[in-house]
Amino acid sequence: MERARKTAFHEPIRPSTTLVRIQPPKVHSTAYITGGLRTLYKKISLSKNRKLRQEHEFGAYTDNSGCFVPEEPMPLLASRYRYLEILGKGNSSILLKAEDTFRRDNNLVSIKILHVNYHALGYQEADCIRRLNLADPEDNSRCVRLLNFFTFDDHYCMVFELLNPTPLHHYFRKLHEPQEKLATIRKVAVQLLQVLGFL
């Protein structure tokens, strides 16, 4: 067993075999420092008595089975993201389209909100995607970009770039000639092999 080392400034350093789960912050306060300062100052100057964060009752957007249910009016998620619409639903999560109020251009994002029962899986998924993003700064792997993560009540939330994917069968429906279909299949196969080669 590895002995814990001591430093002059910290508690003993834990062994490298020990895994520690760190909860993500509910609100990224550094976001107020790094972006959206003009908007923030404007809000402060307009009304000093009004709270910047809209308060909501804990669990107001969670149904009895632990699924996230967005309803209007809804507070800003992480005091930053404005809910626009539902993009899709799954067994473990719901995907929302949202507006990043801290960005002026290209401010639409997608937010994957895991249901309460799948909260622990969010840590693993976010960590895997973050590592893929760090290993591929030039975006050769075509892996979605993780922009942020936070918690909302008991839901783990991940913010991604907004993509508009088209299912493959939509492409093939439009093609009637075998030559066209073969060329499209080759193009898709090359992209899949690039992804597999990166992994």
Side-chain angles (χ1 to χ4, degrees), residues 17 67 140 148 191:
T17 55
C67 298
N140 293 320
N148 201 351
Q191 291 180 4

Side-chain angles (χ1 to χ4, degrees), residues 55-195:
E55 298 296 333
H56 68 280
E57 185 181 339
F58 186 86
Y61 300 97
T62 307
D63 65 10
N64 294 333
S65 59
C67 298
F68 183 78
V69 183
E71 294 175 356
E72 294 289 348
M74 192 168 172
L76 291 178
L77 299 170
S79 296
R80 175 173 181 172
Y81 304 102
R82 182 176 292 112
Y83 161 71
L84 297 177
E85 62 178 295
I86 296 174
L87 293 175
K89 293 181 180 180
N91 291 330
S92 62
S93 63
I94 185 169
L95 191 66
L96 305 180
K97 182 179 182 180
E99 177 189 359
D100 186 350
T101 58
F102 286 1
R103 293 167 61 186
R104 292 192 175 193
D105 55 334
N106 196 19
N107 63 346
L108 295 178
V109 296
S110 59
I111 302 177
K112 182 177 182 179
I113 301 180
L114 294 171
H115 302 318
V116 173
N117 299 337
Y118 296 92
H119 185 98
L121 292 177
Y123 296 101
Q124 297 174 7
E125 184 176 347
D127 185 55
C128 287
I129 295 172
R130 185 185 60 80
R131 289 182 187 209
L132 283 171
N133 290 165
L134 286 173
D136 182 26
E138 296 181 10
D139 201 20
N140 293 320
S141 67
R142 292 181 169 82
C143 180
V144 68
R145 293 283 158 186
L146 179 67
L147 305 176
N148 201 351
F149 56 90
F150 59 93
T151 56
F152 182 82
D153 292 347
D154 283 334
H155 299 277
Y156 194 96
C157 309
M158 290 173 279
V159 182
F160 297 101
E161 58 183 335
L162 182 65
L163 302 176
N164 296 303
T166 305
L168 284 176
H169 64 272
H170 283 244
Y171 286 113
F172 295 117
R173 236 184 242 162
K174 298 172 186 175
L175 305 174
H176 302 291
E177 296 294 323
Q179 298 271 350
E180 291 178 333
K181 286 187 179 179
L182 186 60
T184 307
I185 290 170
R186 281 183 181 146
K187 187 177 178 182
V188 171
V190 167
Q191 291 180 4
L192 288 173
L193 288 171
Q194 281 178 339
V195 174

